[in-house]
Amino acid sequence: MADFQLRDYQKEVVEKALRGENVIIWLPTGGGKTRAAVYVARRHLDTTPNGKVMVLVNKVHLVDQHYTKEFWPFLGEDFKLMKVSGESDEKDFFGIVVQANDVVICTAQILYNALINKEEAKHTELSDITLLIIDECHHTHKESVYNKIMRLYVEKKLKGQRPLPQILGLTASPGTGGAKVLGDAVKHVLEICANLDSVIVSTKNYIPELKERVPRPKKTFDIVEKRVADPLGDHIKWMMQLIHEFMNLPSDVRLRECGTQEYEADVVVLEQRGVRENNRLLAQCALHLRQYNDALLINDTLRMMDAYRSLEDFYNTKYTTAIDGTDFFLVGLFQENEAELKKFATDPHFENPKMAKLESTLVSQFGPDVQSRGILFSRTRKSTHCLLDWVIENKTLQRAGIKAAILTGAGNGITYMTQNEQADTIRKFRNGTLNLLISTSVAEEGLDIPECNLVVRYGLLTNEIAQQQASGRARARDSQYSVVAEAGGREIRRERINEYLEELTGEAIAKVQSMSEHEFRTKINELQTEAIIMSKVLEDRKTEKKNRYAASRVRILCRNCFAQVASGNDFKLLENAHYVNVNKDFKQHYKLGGKVQLERRFEDWEPGCTVSCNNGNCNKDWGFEMKYKKVALLPNLAIKNFALETPDGRITVKKWKDVPFAVEEFSFEQYYEENVEGWFD
C-alpha cells in the first residue's frame, strides 16, 4: 500500500469531514483535494460498519484517472473497488455493483440513472451509500446532473427521511455565479453550499505551506498592436454587407458588429426566425453569414489562410446542394470572390501579428536543450487543429524542439477525440514524447496532467473559474501564465475582470465562513426549501409544455428545404436515449451516406449509415440509422435538424427534451408486429 501522509493544510481542511460533517473542500488546482478525499474515504471505511463510498466525476476520462492514480493505490489492498462509466458493462447491473463493492467510482449520470431506475439489478438508493464524494462540485447548480442527485438528497433531508450519505465536495473555485458585487457573490456561494448541504472549508492556519506547495505562476500580458491593415477581413465584411442587402433585413432587426460573438448570436436567432416564418431566404442567408463571421473570428486569432480555408470547406459542401435562387446567389457570391479572398489570405504583409507574438512566447520557454512542458488553450476544436498545423509548419518552433498534439473533448465526429486518443495523448505528454498540448477547455479541469512551466491562453473569453483552472496547470517552479492579446482588446478586459472575480470569490467564501452556525443553517434551509419548490414548479411547467399538443398534430419538416417528412407520432423513445422514426414510409424521405464509426460497442444496437434529406439537392444531414437487436433498422434523428409545424405556428428546438409533445416509449414487440412484413424485405 502506498505511503499515506497529508500535508498540514490538507489535515486542516479534512477535520470536519473526519467528524462526519458534510463539507466542501476549497483548495487550488494542484493543492491535493483528491488525495485529501482518499484520506477521508479510508478513515470512513475503517470506522463505519458496512461503509459504502461513492465517488462522482463529471467527465468519463476522470473515472479511470481517479481509480488508477488516487483510490486504488491507497485503498485497493484492503477494500473492493470498482470503476463504472457509460462505456462499462457494469452500468447495466449497477445496483449489484454497489452492493458488492466498498468503493465505486463513476460518472454522475450513472448514479442518477440508477437512482431513478426501478429495475432491481440497476437500482440503487441514496441510503445504500454512506459517503458521497463529488469532484469539481462547483457544477452542482441549475439542471446539472450533480444537482439532480443532490435535489433528491435535499428533498429526503427536508422530509426527515434517513439515512443519508455524508457529502464531501471538492472544488478549486465555486466562482461568483456571474455576480459582480459581494452580496450577490455571497448568495451564490450559499446556494452551492445549500445544494450540497455542506459547509465550505479552506486552510486558515497553513496558508504559507499551501502557497509553497502550489506557487502562483508569473502572469504576463503579451500585447500585440492592432493590425495596420486587414484587406481579407475588410473584403469578408463587404461580402457580408452584400448579403445583408440581398436578404432585405426585417426593419426590427439590428445586427451587432461583424466579427464578434454577439453578431454570431444575432444570426443564430435570425436563422430560427427565418425557419419559423417560412422565409428560406432569411434562414439561409443567416446560416451563411454565420460562416463568414466565423471566418472573421478565425482571421482575428489565427492565420489568414485558416480563415479562407474555413469558407472554402463550407462552400465545397454547397456547390451540389443548391435548391433555389437564394442558394445560387450565396454560392455565386463566394465563387466570384474566391480568387480575391485567396490573394489576400496569401499576402504575408497582412498576416495576423498575434501569431508572431505567440511564436515568441513559445520560443521564450522552449529550446533544444530545455526541458519544458506547456499547454496552449484555445476557444474551439477547429482553432486547435489550425494551431497544430501552424506549429508543425513553423520552422522556428520546430528548431525549438516543440512536439505538439491536440487535446479536445471526447465525442463522435471528425473534430472530436475518442477516449483512447485522449488517454494516449496525455500519456505521451506525461512521458515527454510530447511537450506542448494545444487544448480546448477539456484540459482546464480535473485532468491529471504533469506540471507545466508555460500556460498560454489564446483568443479566449471565459469566466473566472476557467481562468483559475487554466492558471493552476502552470505548477512548475518559476512557471509562466501568458495571455496573448491585442492592445485594448476584449481578452485583456475579460482577464482583468476575472482577476477581480477571483478575489471576490475569496471574499464571499470568507463572509460565508464567518457566519454563525445558526445564521448559516437558517439560510441554507431557506435556500433548500426554495430550490425544491422552484424545481417542482419548473417540472410542472415542463410537463405542461410536453403535453401542449398531441404528437399527431405536429408536422416535422426538414430544416433546410422545409419539406414535410414526418409526423410527431412517428417518433418513439428507445432505451430512454434515442429518438427513432418507426414509420416505414419515412424511408422514402432520406438517403444513406457513409458508415458511422463509434469507438464504443453497445449491448442492443450498432450504428449504420448517416441519413440525409432526399428532397432534390437538399442533402441536409439528419442523423444515422441504427440496427436494433440485429434486425430493426431505425433512423435515429437529431431534432435540431428539423422544424416543427404546430397548430400555433412553426418552431425550432435544439433538443428532443424541448419538443411540445409527448414521445412514447419504443416497443420492440409492437414494432416487430407492425413492420415484419415489409420493413425487413
Side-chain angles (χ1 to χ4, degrees), residues 143 147-159 194-195 524-540:
E143 289 307 300
N147 212 23
K148 288 178 181 177
I149 291 167
M150 285 308 301
R151 217 176 271 148
L152 296 173
Y153 176 104
V154 168
E155 203 168 341
K156 285 179 182 292
K157 176 213 161 183
L158 293 176
K159 288 177 180 174
N195 292 343
I524 292 301
N525 277 326
E526 283 174 9
L527 288 168
Q528 289 177 337
T529 305
E530 191 181 299
I532 294 298
I533 291 168
M534 280 306 298
S535 155
K536 293 203 177 303
V537 169
L538 290 172
E539 201 54 51
D540 289 345

Side-chain angles (χ1 to χ4, degrees), residues 23-64:
V23 165
I24 298 166
I25 292 177
W26 174 46
L27 283 176
T29 301
K33 294 179 293 295
T34 313
R35 188 60 50 86
V38 176
Y39 186 85
V40 173
R42 169 104 215 181
R43 285 281 294 274
H44 180 86
L45 290 167
D46 285 339
T47 57
T48 308
N50 304 314
K52 189 83 61 183
V53 177
M54 182 85 68
V55 183
L56 300 185
V57 297
N58 63 331
K59 290 175 183 162
V60 176
H61 54 254
L62 297 178
V63 173
D64 186 63

Side-chain angles (χ1 to χ4, degrees), residues 542 545-546 579 639 655-659:
K542 244 189 245 175
K545 185 184 172 187
K546 233 357 171 192
Y579 289 85
I639 196 64
K655 296 185 177 178
W656 275 101
K657 67 180 176 61
D658 299 319
V659 298

